[in-house]
Amino acid sequence: MQTVRVSIDRSFAIGETDPRLFGAFVEHLGRCVYGGLYEPGHPTADAKGFRRDVLDLVRELAPTIMRYPGGNFVSGYNWEDGVGPVDKRPRRLDLAWMSKETNAFGTNEFIDWCRAAGIEPMLAVNLGTRDGDAARRLVEYCNFPGDTELSDLRRAHGWPEPHGVKFWCLGNEMDGPWQMETKTAEEYGRKATEAAKMMKWVDPTIELAACGSSGRTMPTFGAWEDTVLEHTFEHVEYISLHTYLNDYAGDTAAFLASPDLMDSFIDEVVAIVDAVAARRRSSKRIMLSFDEWNVWYRTRRRSEGRTKLGWPVAPDILEEVYNMKDALAFGGACISLLNHADRVRCACLAQLVNAIAPIMTETGGPAWRQTIFHPFAQFSTLGRGRVLRAQVDSPTYAATYHDPRGAADLAFPLPAVPYVKVAAVHDEGGRIVTLFVLNRHLDQPAPIEIDARGFGALELAEALEMRDDDLSATNTKETPDRVRPRALTGVRVEDGRISATLGPASWNVIRLLSPER
Ligand code: AHR
């Protein structure tokens, strides 16, 4: 491959990353909660039933904010079922995942788990089968100090201090026919506005995200955001985006190109929300909450075992086993999010444990890191700071990505995909410049030269690569470290110029130390 040239300049920044860009998601889905982060009786469980082995991996993964309790689940959830004495909590049918919900784990347990993990909680309210009244009552239960029935109920349940939850989602994927009580944009916009008003009257310090389209392939995408924001504009700070990358077609080149469609999706949503602001002559900028993103295709369709018969408790569903190829597409998504740090102020990897997750567990047994764990941990721990505008001059290839919309298949032609995708982050305090670099060429190494201006005489701090000759390689209970970052050799740094040769189909992280603050 021809040499790829990248230029960055210390003074050309996209924006500062918001800590919430590095979030994840816990849904009552399969073994995410039960047998995942919560398993009383597990050899590593603490007094609250939280698996310490999972907590250790979560700390290493370093998500900053955690969305809960759904997802599709929230659209049928009565939050009251999950608080109070555990032996009095009802067992209910969960129509989202066709399973039985014991309610042994609920809002208070989730808050305790977040505190143990050092993570900010984010709660979603049910705007499917319930309404603004249930939502404002949950805000009062969680955030009001005391001397009202609901805040005193929380205190009586054993949580004397308010939970102080700041970030709230107004429902989930309300445009999706798979959702309990799907809505039109008009219906949802009205309902979300009334819920938002009351929730903020209870606690004016909270921030709210309205549901955007549940995907870019939805037939109503665009019109949905426009109508929903016409209603909610004055009441919300964020609009949500969801994307799951897939390789149904078995076309690796197209799959690795697919994160570029996340870039387009973000740009399009920014254009729509800013058009709503322009119509109102408003300087308010609605920010983006990309609160579900991941790779997901092996366990997505009903025919692929998405649900299990017999209404089981915590069934082993959506337990996608990620391989090396998935980790590359996933890394591309991390780069897309970083390169939109100015408008994507929150993002959640969906999900955290077992169900489409970076962490896998065996019930009663060990926990291990899936392939996608590693790019996320690097993104979260090394991606904080000022994202710089990377000018990339790379050879390109053409691909056509396919994305399902229900039973239909949509084709997205991508005529000029740069083989090399880059994000650069400057952590001024730490004097570190971190480059996240994906080489999407499947069989050729990428010679790369990076011109980094304004940092003085950079020195190499660390260079890591993740690659495997077998793109289908996975991590399993038996071989938990088969796919992981290893040292990248041959990186040269001279007079602000960095040169390296990146392996074919590789994810690379290069960290440079600047003498100047
Ligand atoms: O993350 C899995 C599911 O995907 C979520 O419950 C839903 O919001 C989305 O469709």
mmCIF file of all heavy atoms in Angstrom, residues 25 27-29 67 69-74 96-97 172-173 178-179 214 242 244 292-293 296 300 306 318 350-351 355-356, ligand 1:
data_model
loop_
_atom_site.group_PDB
_atom_site.id
_atom_site.type_symbol
_atom_site.label_atom_id
_atom_site.label_comp_id
_atom_site.label_asym_id
_atom_site.label_seq_id
_atom_site.Cartn_x
_atom_site.Cartn_y
_atom_site.Cartn_z
ATOM 1 N N PHE A 25 -23.947 0.033 29.229
ATOM 2 C CA PHE A 25 -25.396 -0.172 29.350
ATOM 3 C C PHE A 25 -25.662 -1.518 30.020
ATOM 4 O O PHE A 25 -25.079 -2.533 29.640
ATOM 5 C CB PHE A 25 -25.960 -0.108 27.927
ATOM 6 C CG PHE A 25 -27.411 -0.387 27.719
ATOM 7 C CD1 PHE A 25 -28.354 -0.147 28.709
ATOM 8 C CD2 PHE A 25 -27.857 -0.875 26.501
ATOM 9 C CE1 PHE A 25 -29.697 -0.387 28.490
ATOM 10 C CE2 PHE A 25 -29.197 -1.125 26.261
ATOM 11 C CZ PHE A 25 -30.115 -0.882 27.263
ATOM 12 N N GLU A 27 -28.951 -3.837 30.896
ATOM 13 C CA GLU A 27 -30.394 -4.035 30.730
ATOM 14 C C GLU A 27 -30.787 -5.328 31.432
ATOM 15 O O GLU A 27 -29.998 -6.272 31.535
ATOM 16 C CB GLU A 27 -30.736 -4.127 29.229
ATOM 17 C CG GLU A 27 -32.215 -4.411 28.976
ATOM 18 C CD GLU A 27 -32.667 -4.165 27.533
ATOM 19 O OE1 GLU A 27 -31.838 -3.771 26.696
ATOM 20 O OE2 GLU A 27 -33.862 -4.368 27.276
ATOM 21 N N HIS A 28 -32.025 -5.390 31.895
ATOM 22 C CA HIS A 28 -32.571 -6.672 32.353
ATOM 23 C C HIS A 28 -32.807 -7.497 31.090
ATOM 24 O O HIS A 28 -33.867 -7.403 30.476
ATOM 25 C CB HIS A 28 -33.863 -6.456 33.146
ATOM 26 C CG HIS A 28 -33.617 -5.970 34.539
ATOM 27 N ND1 HIS A 28 -33.786 -6.761 35.651
ATOM 28 C CD2 HIS A 28 -33.172 -4.781 34.995
ATOM 29 C CE1 HIS A 28 -33.476 -6.072 36.743
ATOM 30 N NE2 HIS A 28 -33.113 -4.853 36.367
ATOM 31 N N LEU A 29 -31.825 -8.206 30.697
ATOM 32 C CA LEU A 29 -31.829 -8.924 29.418
ATOM 33 C C LEU A 29 -30.926 -10.144 29.592
ATOM 34 O O LEU A 29 -29.734 -9.984 29.882
ATOM 35 C CB LEU A 29 -31.265 -8.000 28.347
ATOM 36 C CG LEU A 29 -31.372 -8.334 26.861
ATOM 37 C CD1 LEU A 29 -30.619 -7.324 26.026
ATOM 38 C CD2 LEU A 29 -31.003 -9.725 26.474
ATOM 39 N N ARG A 67 -26.130 3.115 31.625
ATOM 40 C CA ARG A 67 -27.568 3.240 31.339
ATOM 41 C C ARG A 67 -28.290 2.006 31.886
ATOM 42 O O ARG A 67 -27.784 0.894 31.781
ATOM 43 C CB ARG A 67 -27.746 3.356 29.825
ATOM 44 C CG ARG A 67 -29.148 3.580 29.328
ATOM 45 C CD ARG A 67 -29.072 3.963 27.849
ATOM 46 N NE ARG A 67 -30.379 4.158 27.254
ATOM 47 C CZ ARG A 67 -30.910 3.345 26.352
ATOM 48 N NH1 ARG A 67 -30.251 2.266 25.942
ATOM 49 N NH2 ARG A 67 -32.103 3.599 25.849
ATOM 50 N N PRO A 69 -32.737 0.678 33.180
ATOM 51 C CA PRO A 69 -32.689 -0.785 33.103
ATOM 52 C C PRO A 69 -32.967 -1.303 31.698
ATOM 53 O O PRO A 69 -33.042 -2.509 31.506
ATOM 54 C CB PRO A 69 -33.837 -1.178 34.033
ATOM 55 C CG PRO A 69 -34.863 -0.102 33.827
ATOM 56 C CD PRO A 69 -34.091 1.172 33.546
ATOM 57 N N GLY A 70 -33.158 -0.483 30.718
ATOM 58 C CA GLY A 70 -33.315 -0.877 29.320
ATOM 59 C C GLY A 70 -33.217 0.377 28.506
ATOM 60 O O GLY A 70 -33.094 1.478 29.080
ATOM 61 N N GLY A 71 -33.221 0.194 27.220
ATOM 62 C CA GLY A 71 -33.534 -0.933 26.376
ATOM 63 C C GLY A 71 -35.037 -1.276 26.330
ATOM 64 O O GLY A 71 -35.901 -0.626 26.917
ATOM 65 N N ASN A 72 -35.296 -2.260 25.495
ATOM 66 C CA ASN A 72 -36.671 -2.695 25.274
ATOM 67 C C ASN A 72 -37.372 -3.016 26.593
ATOM 68 O O ASN A 72 -38.574 -2.810 26.731
ATOM 69 C CB ASN A 72 -36.682 -3.930 24.364
ATOM 70 C CG ASN A 72 -36.125 -3.628 22.980
ATOM 71 O OD1 ASN A 72 -36.084 -2.474 22.559
ATOM 72 N ND2 ASN A 72 -35.677 -4.651 22.280
ATOM 73 N N PHE A 73 -36.612 -3.547 27.544
ATOM 74 C CA PHE A 73 -37.189 -3.950 28.832
ATOM 75 C C PHE A 73 -37.915 -2.788 29.515
ATOM 76 O O PHE A 73 -38.972 -2.976 30.130
ATOM 77 C CB PHE A 73 -36.067 -4.488 29.738
ATOM 78 C CG PHE A 73 -36.503 -4.788 31.138
ATOM 79 C CD1 PHE A 73 -37.169 -5.974 31.443
ATOM 80 C CD2 PHE A 73 -36.250 -3.892 32.172
ATOM 81 C CE1 PHE A 73 -37.584 -6.257 32.744
ATOM 82 C CE2 PHE A 73 -36.655 -4.166 33.472
ATOM 83 C CZ PHE A 73 -37.324 -5.350 33.763
ATOM 84 N N VAL A 74 -37.349 -1.585 29.410
ATOM 85 C CA VAL A 74 -37.898 -0.479 30.200
ATOM 86 C C VAL A 74 -39.315 -0.116 29.760
ATOM 87 O O VAL A 74 -40.092 0.421 30.557
ATOM 88 C CB VAL A 74 -36.971 0.761 30.183
ATOM 89 C CG1 VAL A 74 -37.109 1.570 28.893
ATOM 90 C CG2 VAL A 74 -37.251 1.656 31.380
ATOM 91 N N ALA A 96 -40.391 -7.986 26.550
ATOM 92 C CA ALA A 96 -39.316 -7.559 25.642
ATOM 93 C C ALA A 96 -38.457 -8.750 25.251
ATOM 94 O O ALA A 96 -38.076 -8.900 24.093
ATOM 95 C CB ALA A 96 -38.456 -6.492 26.311
ATOM 96 N N TRP A 97 -38.141 -9.601 26.226
ATOM 97 C CA TRP A 97 -37.208 -10.715 25.977
ATOM 98 C C TRP A 97 -37.845 -12.067 26.289
ATOM 99 O O TRP A 97 -37.148 -13.064 26.417
ATOM 100 C CB TRP A 97 -35.904 -10.505 26.766
ATOM 101 C CG TRP A 97 -35.297 -9.190 26.402
ATOM 102 C CD1 TRP A 97 -35.265 -8.060 27.155
ATOM 103 C CD2 TRP A 97 -34.694 -8.843 25.143
ATOM 104 N NE1 TRP A 97 -34.677 -7.027 26.461
ATOM 105 C CE2 TRP A 97 -34.316 -7.476 25.218
ATOM 106 C CE3 TRP A 97 -34.444 -9.532 23.949
ATOM 107 C CZ2 TRP A 97 -33.696 -6.812 24.158
ATOM 108 C CZ3 TRP A 97 -33.819 -8.860 22.893
ATOM 109 C CH2 TRP A 97 -33.453 -7.523 23.015
ATOM 110 N N ASN A 172 -37.374 4.486 25.447
ATOM 111 C CA ASN A 172 -36.392 3.791 24.611
ATOM 112 C C ASN A 172 -37.002 3.432 23.265
ATOM 113 O O ASN A 172 -38.097 2.855 23.207
ATOM 114 C CB ASN A 172 -35.950 2.495 25.306
ATOM 115 C CG ASN A 172 -35.004 1.677 24.447
ATOM 116 O OD1 ASN A 172 -33.860 2.088 24.226
ATOM 117 N ND2 ASN A 172 -35.461 0.531 23.950
ATOM 118 N N GLU A 173 -36.318 3.763 22.187
ATOM 119 C CA GLU A 173 -36.675 3.341 20.818
ATOM 120 C C GLU A 173 -38.193 3.361 20.586
ATOM 121 O O GLU A 173 -38.787 2.365 20.156
ATOM 122 C CB GLU A 173 -36.106 1.947 20.521
ATOM 123 C CG GLU A 173 -34.595 1.926 20.532
ATOM 124 C CD GLU A 173 -33.955 0.647 19.997
ATOM 125 O OE1 GLU A 173 -34.656 -0.365 19.868
ATOM 126 O OE2 GLU A 173 -32.752 0.668 19.723
ATOM 127 N N TRP A 178 -41.229 -3.197 17.599
ATOM 128 C CA TRP A 178 -40.928 -4.234 18.585
ATOM 129 C C TRP A 178 -41.062 -3.709 20.017
ATOM 130 O O TRP A 178 -40.989 -4.463 20.975
ATOM 131 C CB TRP A 178 -39.485 -4.743 18.385
ATOM 132 C CG TRP A 178 -38.464 -3.651 18.448
ATOM 133 C CD1 TRP A 178 -37.833 -3.166 19.562
ATOM 134 C CD2 TRP A 178 -37.988 -2.873 17.355
ATOM 135 N NE1 TRP A 178 -37.005 -2.131 19.231
ATOM 136 C CE2 TRP A 178 -37.076 -1.933 17.877
ATOM 137 C CE3 TRP A 178 -38.246 -2.871 15.976
ATOM 138 C CZ2 TRP A 178 -36.414 -1.006 17.074
ATOM 139 C CZ3 TRP A 178 -37.574 -1.943 15.176
ATOM 140 C CH2 TRP A 178 -36.681 -1.032 15.727
ATOM 141 N N GLN A 179 -41.285 -2.420 20.143
ATOM 142 C CA GLN A 179 -41.340 -1.810 21.471
ATOM 143 C C GLN A 179 -42.737 -1.968 22.051
ATOM 144 O O GLN A 179 -43.718 -1.868 21.312
ATOM 145 C CB GLN A 179 -41.011 -0.312 21.332
ATOM 146 C CG GLN A 179 -40.363 0.309 22.538
ATOM 147 C CD GLN A 179 -38.999 -0.272 22.799
ATOM 148 O OE1 GLN A 179 -38.634 -0.437 23.942
ATOM 149 N NE2 GLN A 179 -38.261 -0.593 21.768
ATOM 150 N N SER A 214 -34.680 4.690 16.255
ATOM 151 C CA SER A 214 -33.922 3.574 16.809
ATOM 152 C C SER A 214 -32.856 3.089 15.837
ATOM 153 O O SER A 214 -32.127 2.152 16.151
ATOM 154 C CB SER A 214 -34.859 2.453 17.225
ATOM 155 O OG SER A 214 -35.747 2.180 16.200
ATOM 156 N N HIS A 242 -28.900 5.182 18.015
ATOM 157 C CA HIS A 242 -28.537 3.779 18.238
ATOM 158 C C HIS A 242 -27.998 3.181 16.944
ATOM 159 O O HIS A 242 -28.571 3.426 15.876
ATOM 160 C CB HIS A 242 -29.755 2.952 18.673
ATOM 161 C CG HIS A 242 -30.275 3.295 20.040
ATOM 162 N ND1 HIS A 242 -31.362 2.672 20.596
ATOM 163 C CD2 HIS A 242 -29.841 4.187 20.977
ATOM 164 C CE1 HIS A 242 -31.588 3.163 21.807
ATOM 165 N NE2 HIS A 242 -30.679 4.098 22.056
ATOM 166 N N TYR A 244 -26.131 -0.694 15.573
ATOM 167 C CA TYR A 244 -25.444 -1.977 15.737
ATOM 168 C C TYR A 244 -24.844 -2.347 14.386
ATOM 169 O O TYR A 244 -25.582 -2.509 13.403
ATOM 170 C CB TYR A 244 -26.426 -3.057 16.210
ATOM 171 C CG TYR A 244 -26.897 -2.802 17.631
ATOM 172 C CD1 TYR A 244 -28.121 -2.190 17.875
ATOM 173 C CD2 TYR A 244 -26.089 -3.133 18.714
ATOM 174 C CE1 TYR A 244 -28.541 -1.932 19.182
ATOM 175 C CE2 TYR A 244 -26.502 -2.881 20.014
ATOM 176 C CZ TYR A 244 -27.720 -2.277 20.241
ATOM 177 O OH TYR A 244 -28.121 -2.024 21.536
ATOM 178 N N GLU A 292 -26.758 3.616 22.522
ATOM 179 C CA GLU A 292 -26.583 2.189 22.215
ATOM 180 C C GLU A 292 -25.713 2.081 20.978
ATOM 181 O O GLU A 292 -26.102 2.578 19.906
ATOM 182 C CB GLU A 292 -27.924 1.487 21.966
ATOM 183 C CG GLU A 292 -28.740 1.261 23.219
ATOM 184 C CD GLU A 292 -29.979 0.398 22.986
ATOM 185 O OE1 GLU A 292 -29.950 -0.495 22.121
ATOM 186 O OE2 GLU A 292 -30.976 0.642 23.683
ATOM 187 N N TRP A 293 -24.572 1.460 21.116
ATOM 188 C CA TRP A 293 -23.740 1.166 19.936
ATOM 189 C C TRP A 293 -22.934 -0.086 20.213
ATOM 190 O O TRP A 293 -22.541 -0.352 21.331
ATOM 191 C CB TRP A 293 -22.821 2.345 19.579
ATOM 192 C CG TRP A 293 -21.731 2.602 20.584
ATOM 193 C CD1 TRP A 293 -21.812 3.387 21.692
ATOM 194 C CD2 TRP A 293 -20.405 2.052 20.582
ATOM 195 N NE1 TRP A 293 -20.626 3.373 22.389
ATOM 196 C CE2 TRP A 293 -19.740 2.559 21.721
ATOM 197 C CE3 TRP A 293 -19.714 1.193 19.728
ATOM 198 C CZ2 TRP A 293 -18.416 2.229 22.036
ATOM 199 C CZ3 TRP A 293 -18.398 0.857 20.038
ATOM 200 C CH2 TRP A 293 -17.761 1.379 21.173
ATOM 201 N N TRP A 296 -23.389 -6.300 16.445
ATOM 202 C CA TRP A 296 -24.393 -7.305 16.859
ATOM 203 C C TRP A 296 -25.049 -7.892 15.623
ATOM 204 O O TRP A 296 -25.688 -7.161 14.872
ATOM 205 C CB TRP A 296 -25.457 -6.628 17.756
ATOM 206 C CG TRP A 296 -26.565 -7.512 18.257
ATOM 207 C CD1 TRP A 296 -26.557 -8.882 18.369
ATOM 208 C CD2 TRP A 296 -27.852 -7.084 18.716
ATOM 209 N NE1 TRP A 296 -27.749 -9.321 18.884
ATOM 210 C CE2 TRP A 296 -28.571 -8.235 19.105
ATOM 211 C CE3 TRP A 296 -28.469 -5.834 18.843
ATOM 212 C CZ2 TRP A 296 -29.865 -8.185 19.610
ATOM 213 C CZ3 TRP A 296 -29.763 -5.781 19.345
ATOM 214 C CH2 TRP A 296 -30.451 -6.942 19.730
ATOM 215 N N ARG A 300 -29.147 -11.713 16.712
ATOM 216 C CA ARG A 300 -30.033 -10.555 16.682
ATOM 217 C C ARG A 300 -31.454 -10.900 16.252
ATOM 218 O O ARG A 300 -32.426 -10.359 16.789
ATOM 219 C CB ARG A 300 -29.448 -9.517 15.732
ATOM 220 C CG ARG A 300 -30.171 -8.215 15.811
ATOM 221 C CD ARG A 300 -29.360 -7.089 15.303
ATOM 222 N NE ARG A 300 -30.154 -5.874 15.349
ATOM 223 C CZ ARG A 300 -29.787 -4.746 14.807
ATOM 224 N NH1 ARG A 300 -28.641 -4.660 14.181
ATOM 225 N NH2 ARG A 300 -30.550 -3.686 14.891
ATOM 226 N N ARG A 306 -32.898 -15.365 19.613
ATOM 227 C CA ARG A 306 -32.987 -14.095 20.336
ATOM 228 C C ARG A 306 -33.795 -14.268 21.623
ATOM 229 O O ARG A 306 -33.562 -13.576 22.600
ATOM 230 C CB ARG A 306 -33.635 -13.079 19.394
ATOM 231 C CG ARG A 306 -33.792 -11.717 19.954
ATOM 232 C CD ARG A 306 -34.474 -10.860 18.914
ATOM 233 N NE ARG A 306 -35.080 -9.742 19.565
ATOM 234 C CZ ARG A 306 -34.884 -8.475 19.198
ATOM 235 N NH1 ARG A 306 -34.114 -8.196 18.187
ATOM 236 N NH2 ARG A 306 -35.478 -7.508 19.834
ATOM 237 N N LEU A 318 -28.642 -13.637 23.399
ATOM 238 C CA LEU A 318 -27.799 -12.546 22.881
ATOM 239 C C LEU A 318 -26.338 -12.685 23.328
ATOM 240 O O LEU A 318 -25.616 -11.693 23.443
ATOM 241 C CB LEU A 318 -28.335 -11.165 23.314
ATOM 242 C CG LEU A 318 -29.390 -10.503 22.439
ATOM 243 C CD1 LEU A 318 -30.681 -11.283 22.378
ATOM 244 C CD2 LEU A 318 -29.682 -9.076 22.881
ATOM 245 N N ALA A 350 -23.450 -0.943 24.178
ATOM 246 C CA ALA A 350 -24.538 -1.853 24.547
ATOM 247 C C ALA A 350 -24.062 -3.279 24.249
ATOM 248 O O ALA A 350 -23.869 -3.595 23.092
ATOM 249 C CB ALA A 350 -25.790 -1.530 23.733
ATOM 250 N N GLN A 351 -23.861 -4.098 25.312
ATOM 251 C CA GLN A 351 -24.128 -3.793 26.701
ATOM 252 C C GLN A 351 -22.875 -4.112 27.521
ATOM 253 O O GLN A 351 -21.803 -4.160 26.936
ATOM 254 C CB GLN A 351 -25.337 -4.574 27.163
ATOM 255 C CG GLN A 351 -26.570 -4.204 26.297
ATOM 256 C CD GLN A 351 -27.896 -4.655 26.894
ATOM 257 O OE1 GLN A 351 -27.964 -5.210 27.958
ATOM 258 N NE2 GLN A 351 -28.962 -4.412 26.150
ATOM 259 N N ALA A 355 -24.794 -10.287 27.584
ATOM 260 C CA ALA A 355 -25.640 -9.981 26.423
ATOM 261 C C ALA A 355 -24.920 -8.930 25.581
ATOM 262 O O ALA A 355 -24.720 -7.807 26.044
ATOM 263 C CB ALA A 355 -26.994 -9.456 26.878
ATOM 264 N N ILE A 356 -24.521 -9.318 24.350
ATOM 265 C CA ILE A 356 -23.739 -8.459 23.429
ATOM 266 C C ILE A 356 -22.746 -7.592 24.226
ATOM 267 O O ILE A 356 -22.830 -6.371 24.246
ATOM 268 C CB ILE A 356 -24.653 -7.625 22.495
ATOM 269 C CG1 ILE A 356 -25.819 -6.942 23.230
ATOM 270 C CG2 ILE A 356 -25.195 -8.469 21.374
ATOM 271 C CD1 ILE A 356 -26.589 -5.934 22.339
HETATM 272 O O1 AHR B 1 -29.326 -3.741 23.307
HETATM 273 C C1 AHR B 1 -30.280 -4.650 22.902
HETATM 274 C C2 AHR B 1 -31.576 -3.992 22.427
HETATM 275 O O2 AHR B 1 -31.328 -3.312 21.228
HETATM 276 C C3 AHR B 1 -32.130 -2.925 23.342
HETATM 277 O O3 AHR B 1 -32.928 -3.454 24.337
HETATM 278 C C4 AHR B 1 -32.944 -2.099 22.403
HETATM 279 O O4 AHR B 1 -33.057 -0.770 22.821
HETATM 280 C C5 AHR B 1 -32.242 -2.246 21.067
HETATM 281 O O5 AHR B 1 -33.134 -2.545 20.060
#
